[in-house]
Amino acid sequence: MWTPENRPKYDRSKLRYPSDLTDEEWSIIGPLIPDAKGGGNKRTVDVRAVLNGVMYILST
């Protein structure tokens, strides 16, 4: 139930898209994503941006 006390916790108005991860959500998910494998080129993509894209696709 939406109450004035818990509404700020779920505010997504400052995000680019409502499906984007908040900093709090990213702090939980980020450590679960494995580091890039050794050898070859370094990872050049922003993993958080990729995950935000996946969340956008899933929400539309």
Side-chain angles (χ1 to χ4, degrees):
M1 182 170 156
W2 290 110
T3 63
E5 293 81 29
N6 73 1
R7 188 173 290 273
K9 181 179 177 183
Y10 299 101
D11 180 31
R12 302 183 86 75
S13 64
K14 293 185 174 90
L15 300 174
R16 184 174 177 195
Y17 295 104
S19 59
D20 284 355
L21 297 171
T22 62
D23 291 336
E24 182 180 355
E25 292 166 340
W26 178 247
S27 69
I28 295 169
I29 296 172
L32 300 174
I33 298 177
D35 293 333
K37 292 184 178 181
N41 293 336
K42 293 182 180 180
R43 183 179 282 167
T44 58
V45 297
D46 179 9
V47 178
R48 184 174 181 172
V50 172
L51 196 52
N52 282 339
V54 170
M55 297 300 289
Y56 177 80
I57 294 295
L58 291 174
S59 69
T60 57

